[in-house]
Amino acid sequence: MVTAREPMASLDLPAVDDLVFGGHDIRDQSIEETVEQANEAGGVPNSKTLDAVREDLREIDERVTMGTARKCGQVVEELSDDKATNEGTLAEIVSQIRSDYETFAAEQDVDKLVVVNVASTEPPIKGDEKFDTLDELETAIEEDDSDLPASSLYAYAALVDEHPYVNFTPSTGSALGGLRELAAEKNVPHMGRDGKTGETLVKSALAPMFAGRNLQVLSWEGHNILGNTDGLVLEDDANKEGKIESKGNLLEQILGYDHHNAVRIDYTPSLGDWKTAWDHIHFQGFLETKMKMQFTWEGSDSALAAPLVLDLIRLIAYADEHGEGGEQPQLASFFKSPQGVDEHDLSVQFQKLYDYSERHLNDAPSGTVE
Amino acid sequence: MVTAREPMASLDLPAVDDLVFGGHDIRDQSIEETVEQANEAGGVPNSKTLDAVREDLREIDERVTMGTARKCGQVVEELSDDKATNEGTLAEIVSQIRSDYETFAAEQDVDKLVVVNVASTEPPIKGDEKFDTLDELETAIEEDDSDLPASSLYAYAALVDEHPYVNFTPSTGSALGGLRELAAEKNVPHMGRDGKTGETLVKSALAPMFAGRNLQVLSWEGHNILGNTDGLVLEDDANKEGKIESKGNLLEQILGYDHHNAVRIDYTPSLGDWKTAWDHIHFQGFLETKMKMQFTWEGSDSALAAPLVLDLIRLIAYADEHGEGGEQPQLASFFKSPQGVDEHDLSVQFQKLYDYSERHLNDAPSGTVE
Amino acid sequence: MVTAREPMASLDLPAVDDLVFGGHDIRDQSIEETVEQANEAGGVPNSKTLDAVREDLREIDERVTMGTARKCGQVVEELSDDKATNEGTLAEIVSQIRSDYETFAAEQDVDKLVVVNVASTEPPIKGDEKFDTLDELETAIEEDDSDLPASSLYAYAALVDEHPYVNFTPSTGSALGGLRELAAEKNVPHMGRDGKTGETLVKSALAPMFAGRNLQVLSWEGHNILGNTDGLVLEDDANKEGKIESKGNLLEQILGYDHHNAVRIDYTPSLGDWKTAWDHIHFQGFLETKMKMQFTWEGSDSALAAPLVLDLIRLIAYADEHGEGGEQPQLASFFKSPQGVDEHDLSVQFQKLYDYSERHLNDAPSGTVE
Amino acid sequence: MVTAREPMASLDLPAVDDLVFGGHDIRDQSIEETVEQANEAGGVPNSKTLDAVREDLREIDERVTMGTARKCGQVVEELSDDKATNEGTLAEIVSQIRSDYETFAAEQDVDKLVVVNVASTEPPIKGDEKFDTLDELETAIEEDDSDLPASSLYAYAALVDEHPYVNFTPSTGSALGGLRELAAEKNVPHMGRDGKTGETLVKSALAPMFAGRNLQVLSWEGHNILGNTDGLVLEDDANKEGKIESKGNLLEQILGYDHHNAVRIDYTPSLGDWKTAWDHIHFQGFLETKMKMQFTWEGSDSALAAPLVLDLIRLIAYADEHGEGGEQPQLASFFKSPQGVDEHDLSVQFQKLYDYSERHLNDAPSGTVE
């Protein structure tokens, strides 16, 4: 975990062992089954780990209830239990989510509730400017506006009751003007979107090298193959659109000019939880000499994402504890499209987190525990 | 060129068109022939460029005289003209170099002479602590100490007459205590070593990503194949030793822990001036999940190195103009083993150059040209 | 060239120097311009070669007249001169092509006319069974059936006048029942389709290894990026469909079972004539151990295709000379989808050519030139 | 397994379930421990398989006794138990091996004993011509000639008592004139050397493609990294020499000309049983256009080797049953350096096995079981 490194490790973050997990799902399948399948298909987690946490998984399963798949695209709806897609008006759904949040918090007796979106990618929404103010957004919920996706309903339900919110997916989540307004008004921290786990992480580390050396990128082609449910959902062009937007934009920001830049995502079932990205970077140096760099990145999606989710829970809970509402620029390095942050250079993003941590460490009176 | 980017482009650097090139070589072959061979073998430069600069190359050839290959290793000696290796005592050689510097400067009527070492890699020297003071070094020259390599003789000859010195190779150059003392005493800028053109450049961009995300690198294997004279010289284990030391160290500094880290360099004549590096990075993430990244980097050695040499000439001449003697940390991003700088994170190194440039731009009285 | 190797080199093939080139194009751009652009963009051919053949190219340009782009898909039509797409009924077009063939042969006084299709890929045609007999086909021409593509018109015009025909593209060409019947009736040789130049060539060499070792291929993903007009035309999904069918089928034939098998083709303008394929092969061995092989193939499309076209002209002219009409199984190794041949193992296909050559060499009375 | 495919599957081969394993080792470590380490380090075999065969492994361990590490190189000697290296004269060692063979066969009551060498690679021996006849060889054993390596002692002990012998390693084994003479005299089948499991397998599939297409290979560079004991032993230059000889020769045979051809093997402990090869093939096509192919092969050494060992045991027992003594060309496809076979084209080698199998199937009287 990033929070296991200094200087973050010295912050008074909530301990991982103190976290209690629960949530909504839209499939009937238990987490235990999902993890068993992942172990079978790709060996992550391995059998020893699985056996060690099996009891914990069953406990979490008991805390998982049926969620909503509204506006999540056709593939997700096909994967979903009927109840997840058909029941209720938006107002009823939001009310149910809020009530489930409170029930969970009360039953588990937690000090703080943090909401994290780790659901499959939704298709991008059209016309998000119609949710630009809190007023417009709340009217849309009242009027059952069918354009509002599940991710934003969960975000609304979190923020309105002052629970910190993290959007680990490319879905809309809290990235609506109305939700930013709500977060500001309630002074509750939120951040997104799209956890930067693999190919895009590498891009944000490599692109500054080309920029800094004035090596002109002519084309940057990326081809991703992956085998988990994420891959299955991204087979659908509508859902894929959201993902690809999120993956491609940062190159232009870092390089400062337009170039040929394509991202492909293909579902390859045999890979299980594993994802391979092949990137081909064609660039031009001195005297217009054309050269190239290629890389492959072969990672387990879950093993890359899981620690970041824990990091984000710990860091956003900390921000909330310190009264820091709104978007959280110190968390930019965790996201492909960090809300409210234009900087995509990974090293600079890391520096924001280090600076934030050191500022807090310096502020804490020496010799005391915060 | 890096100096074509802002903020460096706004500095009052010497114009590229005002530079006059000359130098020492240890082979009889003319530059024109060398460039023709490079054009034949790998297409860099292309035929149009070659025709455009052919006349300039001939002029430069006239300004090139025979140098010394003392202590450059057996392969270099075999490539060398007899005169390059056998003539004179160290004192006589140094005296000849100084005199050649002065003659060149006088004949070309240049404002400032900058010395750059772009010769083939020497074997690393043993016992460099015996040249730790200027006194010891000058005594060694007097006594014709056979351990002093050519690169350090050229550096001495430059610094003693207050010419800025750049070591673009892994050879010893100015990295001796005695030469640092001399540079400080004369207040003349110098910097090295080993231009960071390809695989190591990528390493310095990628390794901070693994460090920042707490992904533990288990092994980092690099295999380089290249076809130019550099490759031929590096076939020799003694010369290769210097290169590999220079390429490998930065990973440990950036990652902060020891790991399996190997660098191979093989001569593959068919590649001409082209160099391909394949790197295999095996790393471990959450729950000890083992993952991997691989990259290949295919570049023209000359096209990558040439603009950096121009950048360095311009920037060190600028430093000299501003009375900034000694090692030049703002130039760290150009080198695999930046003298006097422990930082190897490429983004942080770039930032040093940007900060330096902005400081100078802010210092310059507005409305005036420095 | 393959025909420069033994035993083919000993066949009495037409000499390359005796070939005279002419043809139809659907763009206004001259061959000289096209080759100049290729030289600029990717260095193939290099400047020396270009200068050496420039006069020849101009002569060929004079022998090129406007062709037809009927049913070649929207992208090709947009690239085409107006005259190429709009003029005449099918019967008029066929008549024009036949007349152009005769004029060329007469003016150049050639012994034999060989027609080769090297045009951009057409979208696959629907309902090719309605051209299953010569009778149906000729009726379709008479009735101006809009489903007949340009490639089949050129093939018809060739075969009906007994000119050997080669289809180097994935387009329909002579692969219609009616044209096979015509070729048989006239005893004229024809062969296709789709020259096997790169990624598919490698597949046909590697897949037999997986089959022979009983290593089960779980998925074989291929991603191709290329920058020439072919790539531009393949941007269009309709045209791409034809190409991908042709590239994918052979794996199933060689492996003997179904598996996940995807081929992507993306247009990357900066690559010019160069094509890079990345293939990711996920396979399973003993005890269900999952392993992988990846390859990249980086070739100049033209430099790979051109010698094969020459080989095919020489070999099909030879077959015609020896009265061997119909499909030519000895040429299977040249094609992704060899007409009339189910065998896709490259070595076995090569063996067919060697056996054919040796049979002819043995048949030739010793001491005589055929 | 290859023998699970037709036509081999129809041969009356010994059933895998009927095989009983035992042998010599030179380390004290039990097979169970070795397999547990492999499971830990690289997941091959996985935990389920390990648990399923644990009891079998223990039984095999009981049938393993201390062997000899004579002339196996310094690294192997360091890994070895003292008894393995120091005890006895050659005559005594051979006598002990023969006696251990007989004891095993008697205790396990097997119909046929097959000896397979799967020990670590020995350094190549000097002066193998002094063992060119059986007479010379037996004299050398009598006189305790220190140049005779362990692998040849095991081969001698097998052949002299008419047990079929397979050399799955690059060591000398039965590739001495004296042992070939012995096998012929006794009419016992033997074959080697060096199981073709990975990189070389791919080479033997790909090189015929370059040859057949007349694409001239300029250089073929291979870099192998691996993490098991094999890798450790190959760290030693002496042992590595044997391996590299075996890997490199086939290219020259297939291509028919000399070219730059290098093979590197590096020990990378973190990879455990996994081996990654990166090959870079630089080749030249039409008009001297230089192109390249690169591949990586990532396999589990054991999972690739184990089924081949089973295949070889079954097929050589079958040959012995049919009175086919001497070298076994139908087994060429299994070996990097097939004894007595010059053909390295993988498809042609496979064909030899298919032809052999079909000949035997045709010979068997229909309706009977052999």
Side-chain angles (χ1 to χ4, degrees), chain B residues 5-286:
Chain B
R5 298 191 79 212
E6 293 301 344
M8 287 69 70
S10 293
L11 294 175
D12 187 29
L13 303 173
V16 173
D17 281 351
D18 290 346
L19 303 178
V20 184
F21 297 89
H24 271 188
D25 199 349
I26 51 88
R27 290 195 299 178
D28 247 350
Q29 181 173 299
S30 75
I31 295 177
E32 189 185 352
E33 284 169 295
T34 304
V35 177
E36 271 169 353
Q37 287 172 2
N39 165 262
E40 288 277 318
V44 178
N46 60 33
S47 304
K48 269 183 202 164
T49 305
L50 172 54
D51 289 343
V53 301
R54 193 181 292 275
E55 201 49 51
D56 294 330
L57 295 178
R58 287 186 190 151
E59 285 177 22
I60 295 173
D61 267 327
E62 282 167 27
R63 296 182 217 118
V64 171
T65 57
M66 186 54 59
T68 181
R70 284 282 289 250
K71 213 60 196 166
C72 293
Q74 196 187 330
V75 191
V76 173
E77 283 167 22
E78 281 164 15
L79 287 170
S80 303
D81 189 282
D82 274 0
K83 276 177 292 184
T85 48
N86 298 326
E87 298 204 341
T89 62
L90 287 193
E92 286 164 359
I93 291 171
V94 166
S95 162
Q96 181 65 46
I97 298 172
R98 291 175 66 176
S99 144
D100 286 354
Y101 286 164
E102 297 320 311
T103 307
F104 172 81
E107 284 182 354
Q108 304 304 326
D109 193 21
V110 295
D111 294 333
K112 193 181 291 293
L113 180 75
V114 173
V115 175
V116 185
N117 178 21
V118 290
S120 290
T121 303
E122 298 166 353
I125 65 169
K126 314 284 180 207
D128 57 2
E129 66 285 354
K130 69 177 172 176
F131 311 116
D132 246 7
T133 66
L134 179 52
D135 215 49
E136 287 170 322
L137 181 74
E138 294 192 325
T139 306
I141 295 173
E142 282 320 303
E143 295 179 352
D144 208 24
D145 183 326
S146 69
D147 286 341
L148 266 179
S151 63
S152 296
L153 302 179
Y154 283 99
Y156 175 81
L159 297 174
V160 77
D161 288 328
E162 302 183 12
H163 307 307
Y165 172 83
V166 173
N167 183 9
F168 203 72
T169 79
S171 304
T172 308
S174 66
L176 292 174
L179 288 169
R180 280 201 302 275
E181 188 182 331
L182 176 59
E185 191 175 280
K186 299 278 187 177
N187 195 34
V188 54
H190 67 111
M191 193 61 184
R193 356 182 205 174
D194 207 1
K196 188 159 72 175
T197 55
E199 187 200 25
T200 313
L201 176 69
V202 180
K203 280 181 175 171
S204 69
L206 280 180
M209 176 187 80
F210 290 102
R213 274 293 169 87
N214 220 352
L215 296 166
Q216 196 199 348
V217 173
L218 302 170
S219 59
W220 191 312
E221 291 269 347
H223 191 185
N224 296 268
I225 52 179
L226 71 169
N228 56 18
T229 315
D230 241 38
L232 180 61
V233 170
L234 293 171
E235 279 276 272
D236 192 279
D237 282 342
N239 300 59
K240 194 181 298 194
E241 199 184 326
K243 186 75 174 185
I244 285 180
E245 262 181 42
S246 178
K247 286 175 83 78
N249 290 341
L250 89 171
L251 284 181
E252 226 170 283
Q253 188 279 331
I254 297 177
L255 296 172
Y257 51 85
D258 203 19
H259 60 285
H260 186 82
N261 165 7
V263 180
R264 289 277 189 192
I265 304 176
D266 282 327
Y267 177 50
T268 302
S270 71
L271 293 175
D273 185 53
W274 290 80
K275 179 148 102 179
T276 292
W278 169 66
D279 276 47
H280 179 281
I281 308 150
H282 197 205
F283 64 95
Q284 184 167 287
F286 201 54

Side-chain angles (χ1 to χ4, degrees), chain A residues 254-288:
Chain A
I254 297 177
L255 297 172
Y257 52 84
D258 202 20
H259 60 285
H260 186 81
N261 165 7
V263 180
R264 288 279 188 190
I265 304 177
D266 283 327
Y267 177 51
T268 303
S270 72
L271 293 175
D273 186 54
W274 289 80
K275 181 147 104 179
T276 293
W278 170 65
D279 277 46
H280 178 281
I281 307 151
H282 197 205
F283 64 94
Q284 185 167 284
F286 201 54
L287 301 177
E288 307 195 340

